[in-house]
Amino acid sequence: MRYCIVRYTAVGRFVAVMAGCGNNRQTWDTDHSRSTAYRHARSLRSERPEFLYRVEPVN
């Protein structure tokens, strides 16, 4: 199963699906394995704490 990182506002409104993290840098690819997606979400949370970053499965 593949996962993506989704950005929400502090009140829970959808903002964007994050692309270009890690090996996908400078691409529009959003798919990651579960552990990689959580790792990237953790680093994004430390960089931008005003947003919520959640890992969600790709349908």
Side-chain angles (χ1 to χ4, degrees), residues 2-53:
R2 304 304 292 170
Y3 295 86
C4 65
I5 305 158
V6 183
R7 178 192 283 184
Y8 293 94
T9 62
V11 294
R13 287 199 166 182
F14 171 81
V15 176
V17 174
M18 302 303 294
C21 297
N23 289 338
N24 299 336
R25 189 159 302 222
Q26 297 181 355
T27 68
W28 287 102
D29 193 14
T30 60
D31 292 355
H32 300 284
S33 67
R34 184 175 181 266
S35 60
T36 302
Y38 276 105
R39 183 169 35 101
H40 291 311
R42 184 174 50 241
S43 68
L44 288 168
R45 286 183 200 118
S46 66
E47 292 173 13
R48 304 284 306 265
E50 65 271 17
F51 292 106
L52 300 174
Y53 293 95

